[in-house]
Amino acid sequence: MDYRHLGVPRSGAFDTYAFRVGNLLLGNNPSDAAIEMTMVGGRFSAQSDMLVALTGARAHDATMRRNSTSCGMRMDSVHLVEAGTEISIGRLTDGVRTYMCIGGGVQIEALLGSRSSLVSYPQLGLGRALLPGDLLPIEAATAMPASLAFVKPIDYRCETIRITPGAHWDAFTANQREHLTDSTFVVSDHSNRVGIRLGGSSIPGTIPQGMRSSGTIPGDMQIPPSGEPIILGVDGPTSGGYPVMGCVIEADLPLVAQLPPRSRVRFDWVAKEAAWEENAARACLLKGSQHEK
């Protein structure tokens, strides 16, 4: 359910493609809850047999260990994890977010119709980040699925993000709009799920001000008075007063979710029709993968 009209961000997985790939591999519902890890992984202990799939950014030194036996875990694959197994996931590469999806999904209590934790706004009381000792309820697995889906992962090394004109496109000059696509920006260390802050260059001239607060969505590119763009994330505010020059197309939002701090990124204007086609192609890729072996 959507509660943005009440000021509650969309939240959920930032890289929705990787998240859906993991659930698809396991035969889950597309929205079954999973664990999102940022920059580094973690250590998990299986209390019962379960099915696990790791997707998204490459996980360094992802291993399963039971008694004295250990083995590596492949990305974008399904693993049968026996009770008593310890899963260890190191730092992440080629991106910043990895998803550990579990057969049947994580069965924590739903709040506002969702099992997502809105970690960026703890004062709202809508979940929290995991802590040592937390026990997550899951559905026990007895065997691997009879057939497994095949899914092509995204290449997160792409440095060009496609954008369409935003709500306040006309308020910016042609020179300012061209500067956005002619420049290379650097991802700030202060980026998070609320917004990806960019530096290294800034929109020149006078930035439009005095805009009435209006609704926003993940992917909106706000231009504050500093001229340094901010791309709103899945925990971003539901309304804002900064002018929105452009909006990242939905198909490229997973690339935004995986941008590492201090990485370089460029932008390319595309027509809305092209954005719709790319979004449809991405949806077909996931749907078609269900029938491949």
Side-chain angles (χ1 to χ4, degrees), residues 176-218:
Q176 289 174 319
R177 298 192 295 253
E178 290 172 1
H179 184 86
L180 184 63
T181 52
D182 290 344
S183 303
T184 298
F185 295 87
V186 179
V187 178
S188 167
D189 290 345
H190 300 292
S191 299
N192 51 36
R193 285 172 53 89
V194 174
I196 305 298
R197 294 179 175 271
L198 304 177
S201 185
S202 59
I203 304 302
T206 302
I207 304 301
Q209 298 185 38
M211 301 293 180
R212 297 181 62 181
S213 183
S214 58
T216 58
I217 59 174

mmCIF file of all heavy atoms in Angstrom, residues 176-218:
data_model
loop_
_atom_site.group_PDB
_atom_site.id
_atom_site.type_symbol
_atom_site.label_atom_id
_atom_site.label_comp_id
_atom_site.label_asym_id
_atom_site.label_seq_id
_atom_site.Cartn_x
_atom_site.Cartn_y
_atom_site.Cartn_z
ATOM 1 N N GLN A 176 21.808 25.869 -18.361
ATOM 2 C CA GLN A 176 21.799 25.063 -17.140
ATOM 3 C C GLN A 176 21.435 23.616 -17.437
ATOM 4 O O GLN A 176 22.027 22.684 -16.879
ATOM 5 C CB GLN A 176 20.812 25.666 -16.131
ATOM 6 C CG GLN A 176 21.276 26.976 -15.525
ATOM 7 C CD GLN A 176 20.227 27.617 -14.639
ATOM 8 O OE1 GLN A 176 19.037 27.621 -14.967
ATOM 9 N NE2 GLN A 176 20.652 28.164 -13.492
ATOM 10 N N ARG A 177 20.473 23.411 -18.333
ATOM 11 C CA ARG A 177 20.069 22.038 -18.679
ATOM 12 C C ARG A 177 21.191 21.315 -19.420
ATOM 13 O O ARG A 177 21.417 20.117 -19.208
ATOM 14 C CB ARG A 177 18.789 22.076 -19.501
ATOM 15 C CG ARG A 177 17.593 22.676 -18.761
ATOM 16 C CD ARG A 177 16.293 22.432 -19.488
ATOM 17 N NE ARG A 177 16.208 23.092 -20.759
ATOM 18 C CZ ARG A 177 15.452 24.161 -21.030
ATOM 19 N NH1 ARG A 177 14.724 24.701 -20.045
ATOM 20 N NH2 ARG A 177 15.414 24.691 -22.226
ATOM 21 N N GLU A 178 21.906 22.036 -20.281
ATOM 22 C CA GLU A 178 23.007 21.433 -21.021
ATOM 23 C C GLU A 178 24.173 21.112 -20.093
ATOM 24 O O GLU A 178 24.862 20.102 -20.274
ATOM 25 C CB GLU A 178 23.463 22.374 -22.137
ATOM 26 C CG GLU A 178 22.448 22.511 -23.265
ATOM 27 C CD GLU A 178 22.840 23.606 -24.253
ATOM 28 O OE1 GLU A 178 23.914 24.230 -24.056
ATOM 29 O OE2 GLU A 178 22.081 23.830 -25.212
ATOM 30 N N HIS A 179 24.374 21.967 -19.093
ATOM 31 C CA HIS A 179 25.477 21.741 -18.151
ATOM 32 C C HIS A 179 25.293 20.409 -17.417
ATOM 33 O O HIS A 179 26.276 19.714 -17.130
ATOM 34 C CB HIS A 179 25.552 22.885 -17.133
ATOM 35 C CG HIS A 179 26.712 22.768 -16.190
ATOM 36 N ND1 HIS A 179 27.964 23.248 -16.492
ATOM 37 C CD2 HIS A 179 26.814 22.203 -14.950
ATOM 38 C CE1 HIS A 179 28.782 22.991 -15.481
ATOM 39 N NE2 HIS A 179 28.115 22.364 -14.525
ATOM 40 N N LEU A 180 24.058 20.044 -17.130
ATOM 41 C CA LEU A 180 23.797 18.808 -16.401
ATOM 42 C C LEU A 180 24.298 17.593 -17.172
ATOM 43 O O LEU A 180 24.829 16.641 -16.580
ATOM 44 C CB LEU A 180 22.291 18.667 -16.119
ATOM 45 C CG LEU A 180 21.886 17.457 -15.276
ATOM 46 C CD1 LEU A 180 22.499 17.523 -13.885
ATOM 47 C CD2 LEU A 180 20.376 17.362 -15.172
ATOM 48 N N THR A 181 24.158 17.603 -18.493
ATOM 49 C CA THR A 181 24.579 16.453 -19.293
ATOM 50 C C THR A 181 25.984 16.601 -19.867
ATOM 51 O O THR A 181 26.541 15.626 -20.369
ATOM 52 C CB THR A 181 23.585 16.201 -20.442
ATOM 53 O OG1 THR A 181 23.379 17.419 -21.171
ATOM 54 C CG2 THR A 181 22.255 15.722 -19.903
ATOM 55 N N ASP A 182 26.544 17.807 -19.799
ATOM 56 C CA ASP A 182 27.908 18.021 -20.297
ATOM 57 C C ASP A 182 28.956 17.843 -19.209
ATOM 58 O O ASP A 182 30.156 17.874 -19.489
ATOM 59 C CB ASP A 182 28.055 19.439 -20.881
ATOM 60 C CG ASP A 182 27.289 19.608 -22.179
ATOM 61 O OD1 ASP A 182 26.914 18.584 -22.775
ATOM 62 O OD2 ASP A 182 27.061 20.766 -22.587
ATOM 63 N N SER A 183 28.531 17.662 -17.965
ATOM 64 C CA SER A 183 29.451 17.609 -16.830
ATOM 65 C C SER A 183 29.528 16.210 -16.231
ATOM 66 O O SER A 183 28.633 15.377 -16.409
ATOM 67 C CB SER A 183 29.009 18.592 -15.740
ATOM 68 O OG SER A 183 28.917 19.908 -16.247
ATOM 69 N N THR A 184 30.622 15.972 -15.516
ATOM 70 C CA THR A 184 30.798 14.744 -14.737
ATOM 71 C C THR A 184 30.653 15.091 -13.258
ATOM 72 O O THR A 184 31.290 16.026 -12.765
ATOM 73 C CB THR A 184 32.182 14.123 -14.981
ATOM 74 O OG1 THR A 184 32.305 13.761 -16.359
ATOM 75 C CG2 THR A 184 32.374 12.870 -14.121
ATOM 76 N N PHE A 185 29.805 14.361 -12.557
ATOM 77 C CA PHE A 185 29.554 14.610 -11.139
ATOM 78 C C PHE A 185 30.181 13.500 -10.300
ATOM 79 O O PHE A 185 30.446 12.391 -10.793
ATOM 80 C CB PHE A 185 28.058 14.705 -10.868
ATOM 81 C CG PHE A 185 27.394 15.876 -11.534
ATOM 82 C CD1 PHE A 185 26.920 15.782 -12.838
ATOM 83 C CD2 PHE A 185 27.253 17.081 -10.861
ATOM 84 C CE1 PHE A 185 26.314 16.869 -13.462
ATOM 85 C CE2 PHE A 185 26.651 18.176 -11.475
ATOM 86 C CZ PHE A 185 26.185 18.060 -12.774
ATOM 87 N N VAL A 186 30.411 13.810 -9.042
ATOM 88 C CA VAL A 186 31.012 12.852 -8.104
ATOM 89 C C VAL A 186 30.031 12.588 -6.967
ATOM 90 O O VAL A 186 29.471 13.525 -6.377
ATOM 91 C CB VAL A 186 32.336 13.393 -7.531
ATOM 92 C CG1 VAL A 186 32.938 12.395 -6.538
ATOM 93 C CG2 VAL A 186 33.326 13.675 -8.659
ATOM 94 N N VAL A 187 29.811 11.319 -6.655
ATOM 95 C CA VAL A 187 28.874 10.936 -5.590
ATOM 96 C C VAL A 187 29.462 11.293 -4.231
ATOM 97 O O VAL A 187 30.593 10.907 -3.898
ATOM 98 C CB VAL A 187 28.561 9.432 -5.653
ATOM 99 C CG1 VAL A 187 27.619 9.029 -4.519
ATOM 100 C CG2 VAL A 187 27.939 9.079 -7.006
ATOM 101 N N SER A 188 28.706 12.027 -3.437
ATOM 102 C CA SER A 188 29.165 12.477 -2.123
ATOM 103 C C SER A 188 29.174 11.345 -1.103
ATOM 104 O O SER A 188 28.364 10.413 -1.167
ATOM 105 C CB SER A 188 28.253 13.608 -1.628
ATOM 106 O OG SER A 188 28.471 13.883 -0.258
ATOM 107 N N ASP A 189 30.088 11.466 -0.126
ATOM 108 C CA ASP A 189 30.125 10.507 0.982
ATOM 109 C C ASP A 189 28.867 10.597 1.839
ATOM 110 O O ASP A 189 28.582 9.694 2.632
ATOM 111 C CB ASP A 189 31.339 10.776 1.874
ATOM 112 C CG ASP A 189 32.656 10.428 1.193
ATOM 113 O OD1 ASP A 189 32.621 9.722 0.174
ATOM 114 O OD2 ASP A 189 33.715 10.867 1.681
ATOM 115 N N HIS A 190 28.133 11.687 1.730
ATOM 116 C CA HIS A 190 26.939 11.897 2.556
ATOM 117 C C HIS A 190 25.662 11.367 1.896
ATOM 118 O O HIS A 190 24.557 11.668 2.358
ATOM 119 C CB HIS A 190 26.782 13.384 2.867
ATOM 120 C CG HIS A 190 27.950 13.971 3.608
ATOM 121 N ND1 HIS A 190 28.249 13.636 4.902
ATOM 122 C CD2 HIS A 190 28.904 14.845 3.212
ATOM 123 C CE1 HIS A 190 29.330 14.290 5.290
ATOM 124 N NE2 HIS A 190 29.750 15.032 4.284
ATOM 125 N N SER A 191 25.809 10.596 0.836
ATOM 126 C CA SER A 191 24.643 10.006 0.176
ATOM 127 C C SER A 191 24.078 8.863 1.018
ATOM 128 O O SER A 191 24.803 8.188 1.743
ATOM 129 C CB SER A 191 25.035 9.489 -1.208
ATOM 130 O OG SER A 191 25.501 10.546 -2.033
ATOM 131 N N ASN A 192 22.779 8.650 0.901
ATOM 132 C CA ASN A 192 22.126 7.569 1.637
ATOM 133 C C ASN A 192 20.804 7.221 0.953
ATOM 134 O O ASN A 192 20.567 7.626 -0.188
ATOM 135 C CB ASN A 192 21.907 7.963 3.103
ATOM 136 C CG ASN A 192 21.227 9.318 3.242
ATOM 137 O OD1 ASN A 192 20.352 9.679 2.439
ATOM 138 N ND2 ASN A 192 21.620 10.076 4.251
ATOM 139 N N ARG A 193 19.958 6.495 1.648
ATOM 140 C CA ARG A 193 18.685 6.085 1.054
ATOM 141 C C ARG A 193 17.723 7.258 0.866
ATOM 142 O O ARG A 193 16.793 7.164 0.080
ATOM 143 C CB ARG A 193 18.018 5.019 1.949
ATOM 144 C CG ARG A 193 18.661 3.643 1.848
ATOM 145 C CD ARG A 193 18.079 2.688 2.886
ATOM 146 N NE ARG A 193 16.647 2.624 2.819
ATOM 147 C CZ ARG A 193 15.942 1.776 2.053
ATOM 148 N NH1 ARG A 193 16.573 0.912 1.265
ATOM 149 N NH2 ARG A 193 14.628 1.785 2.066
ATOM 150 N N VAL A 194 17.951 8.347 1.572
ATOM 151 C CA VAL A 194 17.108 9.529 1.394
ATOM 152 C C VAL A 194 17.445 10.235 0.081
ATOM 153 O O VAL A 194 16.554 10.668 -0.656
ATOM 154 C CB VAL A 194 17.271 10.501 2.579
ATOM 155 C CG1 VAL A 194 16.511 11.798 2.319
ATOM 156 C CG2 VAL A 194 16.763 9.849 3.850
ATOM 157 N N GLY A 195 18.735 10.359 -0.210
ATOM 158 C CA GLY A 195 19.123 11.035 -1.436
ATOM 159 C C GLY A 195 20.577 10.802 -1.779
ATOM 160 O O GLY A 195 21.424 10.635 -0.896
ATOM 161 N N ILE A 196 20.869 10.782 -3.080
ATOM 162 C CA ILE A 196 22.238 10.677 -3.575
ATOM 163 C C ILE A 196 22.709 12.098 -3.872
ATOM 164 O O ILE A 196 22.214 12.746 -4.804
ATOM 165 C CB ILE A 196 22.322 9.806 -4.840
ATOM 166 C CG1 ILE A 196 21.706 8.425 -4.585
ATOM 167 C CG2 ILE A 196 23.766 9.680 -5.316
ATOM 168 C CD1 ILE A 196 22.397 7.614 -3.518
ATOM 169 N N ARG A 197 23.643 12.590 -3.076
ATOM 170 C CA ARG A 197 24.147 13.950 -3.245
ATOM 171 C C ARG A 197 25.345 13.944 -4.193
ATOM 172 O O ARG A 197 26.223 13.076 -4.086
ATOM 173 C CB ARG A 197 24.546 14.538 -1.888
ATOM 174 C CG ARG A 197 23.346 14.727 -0.957
ATOM 175 C CD ARG A 197 23.772 15.286 0.394
ATOM 176 N NE ARG A 197 22.605 15.581 1.221
ATOM 177 C CZ ARG A 197 21.964 16.736 1.227
ATOM 178 N NH1 ARG A 197 22.401 17.736 0.444
ATOM 179 N NH2 ARG A 197 20.907 16.930 2.000
ATOM 180 N N LEU A 198 25.374 14.906 -5.098
ATOM 181 C CA LEU A 198 26.412 14.964 -6.112
ATOM 182 C C LEU A 198 27.249 16.223 -5.962
ATOM 183 O O LEU A 198 26.743 17.295 -5.633
ATOM 184 C CB LEU A 198 25.785 14.926 -7.512
ATOM 185 C CG LEU A 198 24.870 13.740 -7.812
ATOM 186 C CD1 LEU A 198 24.261 13.874 -9.193
ATOM 187 C CD2 LEU A 198 25.641 12.419 -7.702
ATOM 188 N N GLY A 199 28.550 16.088 -6.214
ATOM 189 C CA GLY A 199 29.470 17.207 -6.204
ATOM 190 C C GLY A 199 30.354 17.143 -7.431
ATOM 191 O O GLY A 199 30.035 16.473 -8.406
ATOM 192 N N GLY A 200 31.480 17.806 -7.374
ATOM 193 C CA GLY A 200 32.398 17.794 -8.502
ATOM 194 C C GLY A 200 32.063 18.803 -9.568
ATOM 195 O O GLY A 200 32.910 19.178 -10.378
ATOM 196 N N SER A 201 30.841 19.243 -9.623
ATOM 197 C CA SER A 201 30.376 20.267 -10.548
ATOM 198 C C SER A 201 29.051 20.789 -9.996
ATOM 199 O O SER A 201 28.422 20.139 -9.155
ATOM 200 C CB SER A 201 30.180 19.702 -11.965
ATOM 201 O OG SER A 201 29.835 20.725 -12.874
ATOM 202 N N SER A 202 28.636 21.945 -10.454
ATOM 203 C CA SER A 202 27.369 22.516 -9.999
ATOM 204 C C SER A 202 26.695 23.253 -11.147
ATOM 205 O O SER A 202 27.359 23.720 -12.078
ATOM 206 C CB SER A 202 27.586 23.474 -8.815
ATOM 207 O OG SER A 202 28.457 24.530 -9.174
ATOM 208 N N ILE A 203 25.378 23.310 -11.088
ATOM 209 C CA ILE A 203 24.614 23.998 -12.117
ATOM 210 C C ILE A 203 24.925 25.498 -12.031
ATOM 211 O O ILE A 203 24.766 26.098 -10.960
ATOM 212 C CB ILE A 203 23.102 23.740 -11.936
ATOM 213 C CG1 ILE A 203 22.833 22.238 -11.930
ATOM 214 C CG2 ILE A 203 22.318 24.434 -13.036
ATOM 215 C CD1 ILE A 203 23.279 21.497 -13.163
ATOM 216 N N PRO A 204 25.372 26.121 -13.121
ATOM 217 C CA PRO A 204 25.772 27.535 -13.069
ATOM 218 C C PRO A 204 24.577 28.488 -13.050
ATOM 219 O O PRO A 204 23.438 28.087 -13.300
ATOM 220 C CB PRO A 204 26.579 27.703 -14.359
ATOM 221 C CG PRO A 204 25.927 26.735 -15.307
ATOM 222 C CD PRO A 204 25.539 25.541 -14.466
ATOM 223 N N GLY A 205 24.877 29.743 -12.743
ATOM 224 C CA GLY A 205 23.844 30.766 -12.790
ATOM 225 C C GLY A 205 22.946 30.747 -11.576
ATOM 226 O O GLY A 205 23.172 30.038 -10.583
ATOM 227 N N THR A 206 21.885 31.521 -11.657
ATOM 228 C CA THR A 206 20.918 31.633 -10.556
ATOM 229 C C THR A 206 19.959 30.453 -10.571
ATOM 230 O O THR A 206 19.320 30.182 -11.589
ATOM 231 C CB THR A 206 20.121 32.945 -10.665
ATOM 232 O OG1 THR A 206 21.035 34.047 -10.651
ATOM 233 C CG2 THR A 206 19.143 33.077 -9.510
ATOM 234 N N ILE A 207 19.872 29.751 -9.458
ATOM 235 C CA ILE A 207 18.963 28.604 -9.355
ATOM 236 C C ILE A 207 17.560 29.128 -9.050
ATOM 237 O O ILE A 207 17.384 29.966 -8.158
ATOM 238 C CB ILE A 207 19.416 27.641 -8.239
ATOM 239 C CG1 ILE A 207 20.860 27.184 -8.480
ATOM 240 C CG2 ILE A 207 18.475 26.439 -8.159
ATOM 241 C CD1 ILE A 207 21.084 26.471 -9.797
ATOM 242 N N PRO A 208 16.544 28.661 -9.782
ATOM 243 C CA PRO A 208 15.168 29.115 -9.504
ATOM 244 C C PRO A 208 14.799 28.899 -8.037
ATOM 245 O O PRO A 208 15.114 27.856 -7.459
ATOM 246 C CB PRO A 208 14.325 28.237 -10.431
ATOM 247 C CG PRO A 208 15.261 27.833 -11.531
ATOM 248 C CD PRO A 208 16.610 27.699 -10.883
ATOM 249 N N GLN A 209 14.154 29.881 -7.449
ATOM 250 C CA GLN A 209 13.746 29.787 -6.056
ATOM 251 C C GLN A 209 12.284 30.198 -5.914
ATOM 252 O O GLN A 209 11.650 30.643 -6.872
ATOM 253 C CB GLN A 209 14.636 30.676 -5.180
ATOM 254 C CG GLN A 209 16.108 30.270 -5.202
ATOM 255 C CD GLN A 209 16.947 31.077 -4.241
ATOM 256 O OE1 GLN A 209 16.502 31.393 -3.140
ATOM 257 N NE2 GLN A 209 18.168 31.415 -4.650
ATOM 258 N N GLY A 210 11.770 30.039 -4.712
ATOM 259 C CA GLY A 210 10.392 30.424 -4.452
ATOM 260 C C GLY A 210 9.367 29.442 -4.991
ATOM 261 O O GLY A 210 8.192 29.802 -5.154
ATOM 262 N N MET A 211 9.812 28.201 -5.271
ATOM 263 C CA MET A 211 8.873 27.196 -5.766
ATOM 264 C C MET A 211 7.924 26.763 -4.655
ATOM 265 O O MET A 211 8.318 26.633 -3.496
ATOM 266 C CB MET A 211 9.629 25.965 -6.293
ATOM 267 C CG MET A 211 10.607 26.266 -7.420
ATOM 268 S SD MET A 211 9.754 26.776 -8.910
ATOM 269 C CE MET A 211 11.145 27.044 -10.013
ATOM 270 N N ARG A 212 6.674 26.542 -5.012
ATOM 271 C CA ARG A 212 5.720 26.002 -4.050
ATOM 272 C C ARG A 212 6.051 24.532 -3.805
ATOM 273 O O ARG A 212 6.455 23.801 -4.711
ATOM 274 C CB ARG A 212 4.296 26.131 -4.578
ATOM 275 C CG ARG A 212 3.825 27.555 -4.783
ATOM 276 C CD ARG A 212 2.401 27.607 -5.275
ATOM 277 N NE ARG A 212 1.483 27.027 -4.309
ATOM 278 C CZ ARG A 212 0.160 26.930 -4.506
ATOM 279 N NH1 ARG A 212 -0.375 27.365 -5.644
ATOM 280 N NH2 ARG A 212 -0.607 26.393 -3.573
ATOM 281 N N SER A 213 5.919 24.119 -2.559
ATOM 282 C CA SER A 213 6.174 22.723 -2.239
ATOM 283 C C SER A 213 5.239 21.831 -3.052
ATOM 284 O O SER A 213 4.042 22.093 -3.164
ATOM 285 C CB SER A 213 5.947 22.484 -0.741
ATOM 286 O OG SER A 213 6.259 21.157 -0.395
ATOM 287 N N SER A 214 5.816 20.784 -3.643
ATOM 288 C CA SER A 214 5.025 19.886 -4.482
ATOM 289 C C SER A 214 5.464 18.450 -4.245
ATOM 290 O O SER A 214 6.514 18.193 -3.645
ATOM 291 C CB SER A 214 5.194 20.251 -5.965
ATOM 292 O OG SER A 214 6.561 20.196 -6.340
ATOM 293 N N GLY A 215 4.671 17.508 -4.698
ATOM 294 C CA GLY A 215 4.974 16.099 -4.503
ATOM 295 C C GLY A 215 6.229 15.668 -5.229
ATOM 296 O O GLY A 215 6.553 16.194 -6.302
ATOM 297 N N THR A 216 6.964 14.736 -4.638
ATOM 298 C CA THR A 216 8.180 14.210 -5.245
ATOM 299 C C THR A 216 8.125 12.683 -5.266
ATOM 300 O O THR A 216 7.348 12.064 -4.541
ATOM 301 C CB THR A 216 9.431 14.651 -4.464
ATOM 302 O OG1 THR A 216 9.313 14.210 -3.099
ATOM 303 C CG2 THR A 216 9.594 16.166 -4.501
ATOM 304 N N ILE A 217 8.995 12.092 -6.100
ATOM 305 C CA ILE A 217 9.086 10.643 -6.209
ATOM 306 C C ILE A 217 10.565 10.248 -6.236
ATOM 307 O O ILE A 217 11.434 11.072 -6.543
ATOM 308 C CB ILE A 217 8.390 10.115 -7.486
ATOM 309 C CG1 ILE A 217 9.025 10.726 -8.730
ATOM 310 C CG2 ILE A 217 6.898 10.376 -7.427
ATOM 311 C CD1 ILE A 217 8.498 10.159 -10.029
ATOM 312 N N PRO A 218 10.889 8.977 -5.917
ATOM 313 C CA PRO A 218 12.277 8.528 -6.041
ATOM 314 C C PRO A 218 12.774 8.736 -7.472
ATOM 315 O O PRO A 218 12.080 8.427 -8.435
ATOM 316 C CB PRO A 218 12.187 7.039 -5.698
ATOM 317 C CG PRO A 218 11.003 6.943 -4.784
ATOM 318 C CD PRO A 218 10.023 7.935 -5.328
#
